[in-house]
């Protein structure tokens, strides 16, 4: 068997069809290599018990604990039998229940004092944590053959606890790992020998052995250090090769013309750019002036002036004879960008039109819902080069859209665009256009390095002058109802002082649902018994209550996604004009809405929103000279993670700090999202937020290696491992944000 193929061996050959099927379907493990890279989540020391007090609800867990007592209870007039077993570990107690015919075996085996591993899903019954019908394996010595076998199977002092699923317990996975462990000897080592020796790393086969069957805690640390490095390094080599390949592509250098459109625009700006905007603009201008395509990620706080920086880049390209396209994720946002850009440019946006500037250009909008005539004119303006700037949605990517000379693509809110769209737009240039990607959700540096590793990063972290501070407070509506009453008083005070307010709810509200009386009553009963079960608060209901109660006498309007576009525009226009006091809305106001006179925001059921979403929403107030106020209303329990999240949002206005907190709480899975399946399948040991030094060091080594040997001709092992990581599906994650 050659060195690679034992790792590629299908699991069903070694483990049998049934086990292999469960592993494939529920754990995404298909080959020997997959299973060897399915590392233990943690390790238990024999004789040292787990903290039962810290068990997560609704999760499948494996615990090692001791039986405190066991008793059989009868119910249903003696017709039903239930075995209740109490486990203990010094930190807490946990109840096990077995019903019906399933009570006989555990009743004989789970005697007080016995120690075992138990696996099951944690639930709560009568306010007590419990596992119903858990599977278990005895660990202490006794006459039972199974117990002896279990002790033999875990001869090491550390018991590996594997990420498991309902169909396959941790110890069954451990047995399967034992069957494939000899193949660890065939592991292809991706690290060049000089790098491995220089950093004193354990050889890969030994690291795999140590991570699965450690004798000591030092073994575990050794193995982890090595395996983390492999993951970081292989990923960074893949990204470094992408960046290198991009530098080999030709692009047209675009330099600003002296006394051209950019100078005319700068001259009419009513304010000076911030230091950050100047610095980032210079980075972009330097990139645009080179003859290979720019790939830059521009991230900045809500309101930090990213659009201004992007517009100046677009004007530079128009100055140099090219065209610029800006892609927005929604029609509403595309329209808002178009409106604000034409307002900022004034007569410079009316090139070739009566009263337009002779240095100007045409700025056109292209969206799916435009009328045929307007659309035809926009397409004509693009193909003739009459329009220097186009702003639009996915409609820009359609085959019909042809450019005269596309020089720059600006993508707003990158995480909503996939690789296919980015490539489709790139292919519209005679040569690859320059690319600027913007995001208003600040990303910690390491995540940016891992997810957007093929982009250079620029950060705008200061707000322009004139933006006001925003005070944020958590309002515990359940514990202190008078706090909520005070919140509505504060809204009233803001309106009396000539300002306006937003109220945000997680749900629109559905009349059909309310009309179904039975459903409504059942929901109310469930909500009374357990407030966690009540549906999230809805715009239509909250607006109604406020009009009749706390905000009676004020003009209260609603805004949500189910309204007709004209209706939405009308409400937004009246709100912007100051004719509406309070706007009760869903998260449709999260991005791009700019009403400087709105100073207060009340977010209902705030615990139902994510950290970055709350931060985005809050950025809608304090946009003028008056200070902003954001009240986060929640019924979550004071000690809950949800409340901790809200307190973190209230404590800082720094989006980068918040995104770190968000990531620590959610881990990478959510942050990297579905599009990042490749990262998920390759990052098993590395955690992006905790291993900053590893990622940074691996990046340096990767860049040096790719610069010296772009095709990796002298590193066949690294090439083999990369090929396995970057099969077609996984290659895409490198290009998706």
């Amino acid at each position: 068997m050659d060195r690679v193929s034992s790792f590629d061996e299908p699991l069903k050959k070694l483990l049998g069809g049934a086990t292999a099927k469960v592993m494939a379907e529920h754990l995404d493990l298909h080959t020997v290599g997959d299973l060897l890279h399915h590392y233990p989540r943690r390790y238990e020391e024999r004789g040292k018990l787990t903290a039962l007090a810290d068990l997560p609800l609704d999760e499948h867990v494996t615990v090692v604990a001791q039986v405190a007592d066991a008793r059989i209870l009868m119910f249903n007039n003696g017709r039903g039998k239930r075995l209740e077993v109490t486990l203990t570990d010094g930190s807490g107690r946990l109840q096990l229940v077995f019903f019906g015919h399933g009570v006989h075996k555990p009743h004989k085996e789970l005697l007080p004092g016995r120690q075992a591993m138990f696996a099951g899903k944690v639930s709560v019954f009568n306010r007590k944590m419990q596992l119903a019908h858990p599977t278990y394996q005895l660990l202490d010595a006794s006459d039972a053959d199974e117990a002896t076998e279990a002790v033999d199977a875990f001869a090491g002092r550390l018991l590996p606890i594997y990420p498991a699923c309902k169909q396959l317990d941790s110890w069954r996975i451990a047995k399967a790992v034992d069957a494939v462990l000899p193949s660890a000897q065939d592991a292809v080592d991706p690290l060049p020998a000089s790098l491995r020796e220089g950093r004193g790393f354990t050889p890969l086969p030994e690291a795999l052995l140590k991570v699965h069957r450690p004798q000591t805690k030092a073994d575990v640390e050794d193995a982890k250090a090595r395996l983390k490095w492999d993951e970081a390094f292989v990923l960074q080599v893949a990204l470094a090769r992408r960046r290198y390949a991009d530098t080999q592509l030709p692009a047209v250098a675009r330099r600003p013309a002296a006394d051209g459109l950019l100078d005319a625009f700068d001259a009419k700006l009513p304010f000076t750019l911030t230091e950050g905007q100047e610095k980032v603009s210079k980075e972009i201008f330097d990139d645009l002036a080179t003859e290979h395509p720019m790939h830059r990620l521009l991230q900045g706080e809500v309101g930090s002036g990213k659009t201004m920086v992007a517009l100046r880049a677009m004007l530079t390209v128009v100055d140099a004879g090219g065209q610029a396209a800006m892609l927005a994720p929604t029609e509403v946002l595309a329209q808002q960008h178009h409106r604000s850009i034409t307002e900022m440019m004034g007569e410079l946006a009316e090139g070739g039109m009566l009263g337009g500037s002779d240095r100007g250009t045409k700025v056109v909008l292209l969206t799916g819902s435009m009328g045929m005539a307007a659309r035809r004119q926009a397409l004509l303006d693009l193909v003739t080069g009459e329009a220097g700037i186009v702003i639009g949605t996915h409609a820009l990517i359609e085959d019909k859209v042809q450019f005269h000379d596309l020089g720059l693509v600006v993508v707003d809110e990158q995480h909503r665009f996939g690789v296919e769209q980015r490539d489709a737009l790139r292919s519209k240039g005679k040569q690859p256009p320059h690319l600027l990607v913007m995001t208003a959700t600040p990303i910690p540096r390491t995540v940016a390095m891992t997810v957007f590793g093929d982009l250079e990063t620029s950060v705008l972290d200061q707000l322009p002058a004139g933006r006001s501070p925003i005070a944020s407070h958590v309002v515990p509506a359940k514990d202190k109802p008078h706090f909520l009453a005070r919140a509505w008083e504060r809204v009233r005070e803001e309106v009396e002082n000539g300002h306006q307010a937003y109220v945000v709810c997680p749900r629109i509200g559905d009349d059909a649902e309310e009309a179904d009386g039975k459903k409504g009553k059942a929901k109310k009963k469930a909500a009374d018994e357990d407030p966690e079960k009540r549906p999230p608060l809805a715009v239509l209901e909250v607006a109604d209550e406020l009009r009749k109660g706390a905000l009676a006498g004020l003009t209260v309007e609603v805004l949500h996604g189910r309204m007709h576009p004209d209706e939405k525009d009308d409400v937004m226009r009246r709100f912007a004009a100051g004719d509406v006091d309070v706007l009760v809305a869903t998260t449709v106001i999260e991005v791009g809405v700019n009403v400087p006179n709105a100073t207060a925001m009340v977010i209902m059921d705030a615990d139902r929103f994510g950290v970055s979403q709350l931060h985005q929403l809050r950025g809608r107030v304090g946009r003028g000279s008056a200070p902003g106020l954001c009240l986060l209303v929640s019924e979550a329990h004071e000690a809950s993670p949800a409340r901790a999240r809200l307190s973190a949002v209230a404590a800082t206005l720094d989006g980068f700090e918040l995104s770190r907190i968000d990531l620590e709480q959610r881990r990478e899975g959510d942050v990297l999202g579905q599009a990042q399946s490749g990262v998920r399948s390759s990052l098993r040991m590395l955690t992006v937020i905790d291993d900053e030094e590893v990622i940074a060091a691996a990046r340096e080594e990767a860049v040096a290696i790719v610069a010296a040997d772009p095709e990796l001709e002298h590193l066949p092992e690294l090439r083999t491992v990369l090929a396995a990581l970057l099969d077609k599906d996984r290659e895409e994650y490198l290009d998706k944000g």
Side-chain angles (χ1 to χ4, degrees):
M1 191 183 291
D2 69 38
R3 293 190 57 206
V4 188
S5 64
S6 75
F7 255 51
D8 291 338
E9 193 80 48
L11 285 172
K12 64 170 172 273
K13 272 196 179 175
L14 287 153
L15 306 178
T19 306
K21 188 167 186 264
V22 172
M23 286 195 165
E25 284 175 8
H26 298 279
L27 297 168
D28 197 21
L29 305 175
H30 306 272
T31 63
V32 167
D34 289 344
L35 182 52
L36 284 173
H37 288 302
H38 185 71
Y39 308 128
R41 178 176 283 160
R42 56 190 172 85
Y43 303 86
E44 289 296 354
E45 289 180 75
R46 177 74 46 71
K48 186 177 172 204
L49 302 178
T50 55
L52 294 180
D54 301 337
L55 290 182
L57 205 55
D58 282 341
E59 275 192 29
H60 197 83
V61 298
T62 302
V63 297
V64 177
Q66 198 161 18
V67 177
D69 71 68
R71 57 208 172 122
I72 283 197
L73 303 169
M74 299 297 198
F75 60 93
N76 210 357
N77 293 331
R79 288 197 296 276
K81 228 184 230 185
R82 179 169 86 237
L83 171 65
E84 285 188 359
V85 179
T86 306
L87 304 182
T88 176
D89 73 341
S91 81
R93 295 168 92 77
L94 179 66
Q95 192 105 33
L96 310 181
V97 285
F98 300 88
F99 294 98
H101 299 305
V103 306
H104 306 304
K105 190 175 176 223
H107 189 220
K108 281 199 304 224
E109 293 181 339
L110 298 177
L111 305 170
R114 301 293 299 270
Q115 194 179 350
M117 278 198 285
F118 301 89
K121 193 172 181 184
V122 184
S123 57
V124 168
F125 182 73
N126 277 345
R127 301 196 172 184
K128 283 184 187 157
M129 295 277 229
Q130 73 164 26
L131 300 182
H133 278 284
T135 50
Y136 63 89
Q137 178 134 13
L138 300 166
L139 288 178
D140 48 1
S142 80
D143 299 339
D145 294 346
E146 225 172 292
T148 321
E149 200 184 303
V151 175
D152 291 345
F154 299 99
R157 290 193 307 116
L158 294 170
L159 300 180
I161 306 292
Y162 286 90
C165 61
K166 187 179 168 188
Q167 296 77 1
L168 206 59
D169 317 304
S170 169
W171 52 88
R172 291 210 182 94
I173 295 172
K175 273 187 176 161
V177 169
D178 283 338
V180 301
L181 212 45
S183 298
Q185 294 310 316
D186 301 328
V188 176
D189 196 327
L191 296 192
S194 57
L195 171 57
R196 192 172 62 239
E197 287 150 20
R199 290 187 175 265
F201 284 131
T202 306
L204 185 55
E206 192 186 319
L208 288 169
L209 226 55
K210 281 179 169 176
V211 80
H212 289 292
R213 298 294 171 262
Q215 297 298 308
T216 62
K217 286 182 178 172
D219 280 356
V220 176
E221 290 316 306
D222 239 23
K224 279 187 171 177
R226 167 68 218 250
L227 296 167
K228 275 182 183 182
W229 239 92
D230 281 17
E231 288 178 8
F233 177 72
V234 171
L235 187 60
Q236 291 301 340
V237 167
L239 293 167
R241 288 186 77 192
R242 270 197 96 89
R243 283 197 303 275
Y244 180 83
D246 282 335
T247 64
Q248 303 309 297
L249 290 173
V252 180
R254 312 278 180 176
R255 297 179 182 86
D259 208 21
L261 185 55
L262 179 66
D263 285 351
F265 174 75
D266 283 350
K268 68 191 282 299
L269 275 182
F271 51 82
T272 53
L273 297 175
T274 66
E275 223 173 287
Q277 285 174 319
E278 292 277 17
K279 179 176 138 287
V280 169
S281 287
K282 184 180 183 318
E283 290 170 354
I284 292 171
F285 291 161
D286 288 350
D287 279 0
L288 289 175
T290 61
E291 291 182 353
H292 58 81
M294 163 171 86
H295 274 102
R296 192 166 278 281
L297 172 70
L298 170 58
Q299 51 169 337
E301 288 289 5
V302 179
S304 59
K306 291 186 298 299
T307 312
M308 172 61 72
V309 169
L311 176 55
R312 293 181 77 239
M314 293 197 284
L315 296 176
T316 298
V317 170
V318 175
D319 260 350
Q323 290 168 294
M326 184 184 227
L327 246 73
T330 63
E331 293 212 353
V332 171
L333 205 51
Q335 285 158 354
Q336 279 171 354
H337 277 315
H338 182 255
R339 202 175 307 135
S340 65
I341 283 174
T342 47
E343 276 169 17
M344 282 196 269
M345 288 176 64
E347 76 281 1
L348 295 173
E350 295 165 2
M353 290 148 92
L354 207 59
S357 160
D358 53 355
R359 280 189 293 186
T361 187
K362 215 170 182 185
V363 179
V364 300
L365 176 69
L366 189 62
T367 64
S369 66
M370 280 169 71
M372 272 313 290
R375 190 178 167 76
R376 205 174 286 124
Q377 184 59 53
L379 291 171
L380 188 65
D381 288 341
L382 286 180
V383 78
T384 59
E386 186 84 10
I389 294 176
V390 58
I391 294 149
T393 53
H394 293 70
L396 278 179
I397 301 166
E398 289 172 13
D399 293 342
K400 289 198 271 301
V401 182
Q402 299 295 322
F403 289 87
H404 176 64
D405 178 13
L406 181 61
L408 169 68
V409 175
V410 179
V411 179
D412 190 21
E413 290 302 318
Q414 160 69 9
H415 56 279
R416 308 185 192 199
F417 280 96
V419 59
E420 301 84 2
Q421 291 135 327
R422 211 159 101 174
D423 281 349
L425 198 53
R426 271 189 202 164
S427 66
K428 291 190 178 293
K430 292 181 182 140
Q431 288 189 326
H434 298 282
L435 178 71
L436 180 65
V437 167
M438 303 199 293
T439 174
T441 309
I443 309 164
R445 179 171 159 268
T446 38
V447 182
M449 275 166 56
T450 309
V451 185
F452 297 105
D454 61 333
L455 301 173
E456 296 300 324
T457 306
S458 292
V459 175
L460 275 175
D461 48 12
Q462 54 181 152
L463 292 182
R467 290 298 300 261
S468 304
I470 305 169
S472 305
H473 304 284
V474 179
V475 178
K478 199 168 162 203
D479 313 342
K480 299 178 176 163
H482 59 287
F483 275 38
L484 182 56
R486 176 72 188 118
W488 299 127
E489 280 172 28
R490 283 292 290 111
V491 168
R492 219 175 241 291
E493 286 163 15
E494 290 298 312
V495 172
E496 280 162 11
N497 289 331
H499 297 300
Q500 291 156 280
Y502 298 98
V503 176
V504 181
C505 304
R507 205 165 56 96
I508 296 173
D510 188 353
D511 301 324
E513 191 180 273
E514 306 311 321
D516 183 351
K518 279 185 197 157
K519 216 187 247 180
K521 279 178 193 155
K523 276 192 173 165
K524 183 175 184 330
K525 183 169 182 284
D528 289 344
E529 285 169 17
D530 181 0
E532 295 295 307
K533 295 244 169 66
R534 74 163 170 75
L537 291 170
V539 166
L540 301 176
E541 290 142 38
V542 168
D544 210 35
E545 280 172 30
L546 290 175
R547 285 187 194 112
K548 291 177 191 157
L551 302 182
L554 303 185
T555 319
V556 178
E557 293 277 3
V558 300
L559 183 71
H560 56 76
R562 279 211 302 262
M563 289 163 63
H564 187 276
D566 295 347
E567 216 184 333
K568 272 194 263 191
D569 275 356
D570 179 54
V571 170
M572 263 327 292
R573 212 183 52 251
R574 287 188 296 120
F575 187 63
D579 300 338
V580 174
D581 299 323
V582 179
L583 188 63
V584 184
T586 54
T587 53
V588 289
I589 61 156
E590 177 186 352
V591 187
V593 174
N594 186 18
V595 180
N597 191 46
T599 52
M601 176 176 285
V602 180
I603 303 179
M604 308 303 292
D605 277 340
D607 45 278
R608 313 238 183 172
F609 297 97
V611 169
S612 63
Q613 210 172 18
L614 290 169
H615 181 58
Q616 288 268 17
L617 286 166
R618 171 171 62 185
R620 302 295 119 216
V621 296
R623 297 176 81 86
S625 50
L629 171 70
C630 180
L631 301 174
L632 306 166
V633 179
S634 166
E635 289 187 4
H637 190 273
E638 196 168 355
S640 66
R643 272 288 284 280
R645 216 168 54 228
L646 294 182
S647 302
V649 173
T652 178
L653 290 172
D654 181 343
F656 286 91
E657 179 54 32
L658 284 174
S659 63
R660 282 193 73 92
I661 292 165
D662 196 19
L663 193 51
E664 276 161 9
Q665 289 185 343
R666 299 194 300 159
R667 308 314 303 172
E668 290 76 20
D670 299 330
V671 176
L672 303 180
Q674 285 305 311
Q676 306 300 336
S677 56
V679 174
R680 247 213 322 281
S681 36
S682 61
L683 296 193
R684 295 171 187 266
M685 187 65 83
L686 194 72
T687 52
V688 172
I689 203 78
D690 300 329
D691 297 316
E692 261 175 80
E693 289 81 10
V694 177
I695 292 169
R699 185 176 199 176
E700 266 176 50
E701 296 277 10
V703 169
I705 280 166
V706 171
D709 181 3
E711 294 304 312
L712 307 179
E713 281 169 19
H714 305 298
L715 299 167
E717 291 85 1
L718 178 54
R719 259 208 335 267
T720 302
V721 174
L722 262 181
L725 168 71
L726 298 180
D727 57 31
K728 200 63 216 129
D729 292 347
R730 294 178 186 179
E731 191 148 31
E732 293 192 354
Y733 80 82
L734 292 175
D735 214 348
K736 279 188 180 174

